[in-house]
Amino acid sequence: MLIGLCGGICAGKHSVAEYLANTHDFTRIYLRRTAQTPSVEKSAAELHIPSFDQINNALIPEERQFASVADLIEYVTKRWQQRWVTTDVWDESVLEALLRRPFFLLVGVDAPVSLRWRRFKERCDLYDQTPPALEEFVVRNDDYLYSQQTGLAKLIDRAEVRLINSTNSLRKLHDALKDLDLKDQQRLRPSWDQYFMQLASLAAQRSNCMKRRVGCVLVREQRVISTGYNGTPRNLTNCNEGGCPRCNDGQGAGMGLSTCLCIHAEENALLEAGRERIREGTILYCDTIKIAQVGIAEVVYAQGYSMDQQSLILPGVGHFGHCLTQLREGGYLEPIKKHVQAGKPFMGICVGLQALFEGSEENPAVPGLGIIPGSLVRFRDKDKSVPHIGWNSARTTEDHKYGNRSFYGLRKSSKYYYVHSYAVQYQENVLEREGWIVATASHGAEKFIGAIGKGNLFATQFHPEKSGLAGLRVLKAFLDGRKFEALIGHDETSDLMDGLTRRIIACLDVRTNDAGDLVVTKGDQYDVREKDEAVAAGQIRNLGKPVDLARRYYEQGADEVTFLNITSFRSCPVADLPMLEILRRTSESVFVPLTVGGGIRDTAEPDGTLVPALGVATMYFNSGADKVSIGSDAVSAVEDYLNAGGKLSGKTAIETISAAYGNQAVVVSIDPKRIYVASPESTNHHTIETRYQGPSGEAYCWYQCTVKGGREGRDIDVRQLVTSVEAMGAGEILLNSIDKDGSGSGFDLELVNDVKSAVKIPVVASSGAGQPLHFEEVFRYTKVDAALGAGMFHRGEYTVTQVKDHLAREKHIVRQFEEKM
């Protein structure tokens, strides 16, 4: 370490250097003066007054005196682990050379001019010289610091540390230096906390809110997940350009909050990160606010302001027992209880809601906070899919008490995104009698608590950050302290519209074009995947840029967006930076779940570095994905699983990713095709009796699972596959059909029914949709959980809105896109 001291005449550079040498084993080194160095101190008689360094010059070993800065740097570089200090930082050329070394720290030393004059008079008296008058000293000081040729002020301004030596007491100076701790190595290379806090401060510079400049950074494993800053949402006029009436009207704190359009920095960061990317070990850095969360292991902040110091948000995803244990081990449980008991605003999200209750069947040995009476139980899967994934209601139970007002922005007509297997069953008036405000949702015949509040406490089972503008409205109402507010317009909906909606997913097959850009393509019956690019070039249709299309489908009302990266069959996804960037950009403006598929497997980078499937998935999650889809590798994993007699290895991509991120984060994409047989006895595989006879009049068929986009069949049927991946930890099935893909003739309803009867996890129907009628058919004649469309949307034949409008006319429950908060 090398410390350079720079400052005005008699500022105290020598005293600081001596302290470092005597107290912390620094060794002083010297750079000989040249004609270009600043003018030296002189008495009233224009006689040179030597510094203490020059007085002792004869005692300085020759090896610690250097003729040039290059010689000095060469000497110290070979001994950089030792401690060195110099006061000979004379000009910019010397400073520039020193700053190139990572072990150099420039410290600026200053003192009031009157005090420095008194110190200089004492030095003159020591040599029996007449000291200059104060006015003359000031003129010399100005020349010393501000001379165009040799002034040191421009060097002092570049100091990383500034010390004001305003005392004549060495003891007080030494006490100040002890607190300053100049030997701290983090001054040379900032700690991760310092580094990310600086990034948060840099993000704050992008704030456009007229009220406050705030920046926030979310970090996991020393990598930035997302950033945020105060300001109006995307596509609205910036606050500093007049976009927010409240901020521009100059209203005081807590006034006119309902008219404020600005979003908090930490809210922006959480929304950009999304649910899946906020995982164990995530740290939030903010230069102004304080916030604590499940999944966020630590909060680092520089300062707080009144409203935000009082608010606590506790979101979380995953296992009840793990999250509560993490909170306990982190020392958060008691502070959370005290925060709530003190009457300060508190919001829990998903597991953050569950933690408030007494316990959960998910882990009976781990108690909850016990703030709300009741426990969580697992949904019954006899008559419905579990996990409960999709868009559902959150309807308050005693609306007559609130008049035409919403509770924290909740609306009867809105739908919110849920993903969970355990819930608090609703018992009529039990919690309401104790003063709780309850909003419920229904999954099958089970009614459960979707949101709850009392006094300062509010919690949601759904994820507002993935619930479009409806969820954003809820977050904003809590952050602004708007527990109740008047509803504008009509907000009534029939009880028949309660429950899970028909989930419509827009799928984008993404590939790299000749220019290296990722574009959305669509072929017929897997042509895109079956053929080499050169062969299929005439049949593959480039249908737009992925981010633009994803935003379009979101605004049309798509409940989820899926990216299938078909180029990953021919390239390494770890190096697929464009796909990662697409996820990042999409998550900035698309507030519904994002799924990405293709290449989620153990793989090797070009340099031979092995990257496990979990590592690949983590890259996608950190870039904005909520789920990953596994295809051909799931078939291979199931073959191994069946060959091992149904024994789990714990090493497959499905198992490792679901263990780390939860089974709701893992989708298995299946590409089956029909194999017709004369009778069930003619094959060992599970068969169905089909309405559509085979080429030779066969009345039966079984569904063979394929790999490599349908090019290669395996001796495994679809039932074997789906039951096996469910056992491994998959949370959802994406059910394609090679026979139907690109045909526009409708979904394979027989296939869907066969798979739905075999598993309890949700199933998404894919392949064959050509018109809105096909979506209505698959929901009417099967128990499928969601349906996916691609080509008909990309080509503009139909929109997601038209599909949903058709479903609504046929009395299906659908979520409509909300354009205004």
Side-chain angles (χ1 to χ4, degrees), residues 309-435:
Q309 281 183 321
Q310 303 301 312
S311 301
L312 181 68
I313 298 179
L314 187 73
V317 174
H319 192 276
F320 174 89
H322 172 75
C323 290
L324 267 296
T325 300
Q326 183 183 18
L327 283 171
R328 183 174 292 105
E329 292 177 351
Y332 287 117
L333 288 184
E334 287 307 313
I336 288 173
K337 288 182 180 179
K338 290 179 180 178
H339 180 97
V340 175
Q341 292 167 356
K344 299 177 181 179
F346 174 92
M347 182 178 183
I349 297 174
C350 194
V351 178
L353 172 144
Q354 297 179 3
L356 299 173
F357 287 85
E358 295 169 317
S360 173
E361 280 186 352
E362 191 170 15
N363 194 327
V366 177
L369 289 167
I371 295 173
I372 310 176
S375 296
L376 292 99
V377 297
R378 192 176 191 274
F379 285 116
R380 297 187 296 272
D381 59 14
K382 184 177 180 180
D383 61 341
K384 56 184 175 295
S385 299
V386 178
H388 169 236
I389 298 178
W391 298 77
N392 210 327
S393 306
R395 304 176 65 174
T396 49
T397 59
E398 296 182 313
D399 288 339
H400 63 279
K401 292 185 177 181
Y402 319 127
N404 191 37
R405 296 184 300 165
S406 69
F407 177 56
Y408 283 116
L410 293 174
R411 297 185 181 180
K412 295 179 184 178
S413 55
S414 294
K415 293 290 185 177
Y416 307 93
Y417 182 73
Y418 293 81
V419 52
H420 58 121
S421 299
Y422 295 81
V424 179
Q425 299 292 309
Y426 174 67
Q427 301 178 58
E428 187 172 359
N429 292 328
V430 171
L431 290 170
E432 289 91 337
R433 282 196 296 267
E434 297 186 20

Side-chain angles (χ1 to χ4, degrees), residues 443-463:
H443 186 31
E446 296 181 88
K447 182 176 283 190
F448 64 94
I449 294 177
I452 189 169
K454 180 181 179 181
N456 57 299
L457 184 149
F458 176 56
T460 65
Q461 180 62 70
F462 60 83
H463 287 272

Side-chain angles (χ1 to χ4, degrees), residues 163 182 195 251 289 347 392 437 450 474 484 517 531 538 580 616 636 644 651 764 772 811:
L163 172 66
L182 292 175
Y195 172 64
Q251 298 189 39
I289 196 169
M347 182 178 183
N392 210 327
I437 299 173
V474 172
F484 290 103
D517 298 323
K531 302 179 181 180
L580 299 178
V616 177
S636 300
K651 298 179 180 179
V764 179
K811 308 304 181 185

Side-chain angles (χ1 to χ4, degrees), residues 61-74:
E62 185 67 26
E63 66 269 16
R64 288 197 276 122
Q65 300 184 52
F66 301 93
S68 69
V69 67
D71 294 339
L72 183 148
I73 290 174
E74 181 181 4

Side-chain angles (χ1 to χ4, degrees), residues 776-792:
E776 200 278 329
E777 287 177 343
V778 77
F779 288 123
R780 181 176 298 277
Y781 297 115
T782 78
K783 294 182 179 180
V784 75
D785 300 273
L788 178 149
M792 60 178 281

Side-chain angles (χ1 to χ4, degrees), residues 25-37:
D25 297 324
F26 278 76
T27 300
R28 299 196 61 180
I29 53 178
Y30 303 86
L31 183 63
R32 297 192 183 101
R33 289 179 180 267
T34 67
Q36 288 76 38
T37 55

